Amino acid sequence: SDPGSAESIVAQTEKYLAVGDLEAAVISVERLTGSAKSAAASWLSSAKARQGAEQVLGSLHTHALSLLSMAKG
């Protein structure tokens, strides 16, 4: 199967998701073209929103740890 085909891209995306690699899955889905790209648009939008939320949560976690460290000091 052609590695650039929609079927191959979706299969690779599923593998990334199975191991929890959302970033790689998003990059993979962004390679889709035509009707496959249109079909994946909603998923891609949600995945990017989740990426943003995870980044914010990571920043909040780091900030909270910093505040706890200062409070203990």
Side-chain angles (χ1 to χ4, degrees):
S1 176
D2 174 12
S5 73
E7 293 82 9
S8 293
I9 292 170
V10 169
Q12 186 62 53
T13 301
E14 289 174 344
K15 289 178 185 176
Y16 290 136
L17 290 173
V19 297
D21 192 345
L22 183 60
E23 181 177 356
V26 166
I27 291 168
S28 182
V29 168
E30 287 177 329
R31 294 176 42 223
L32 291 170
T33 59
S35 61
K37 183 176 186 172
S38 297
S42 177
W43 180 90
L44 188 57
S45 176
S46 295
K48 287 182 175 185
R50 179 171 175 156
Q51 280 183 308
E54 288 178 355
Q55 288 174 346
V56 169
L57 285 173
S59 294
L60 287 172
H61 179 77
T62 300
H63 184 66
L65 290 176
S66 172
L67 291 174
L68 286 172
S69 176
M70 289 188 330
K72 289 181 180 178

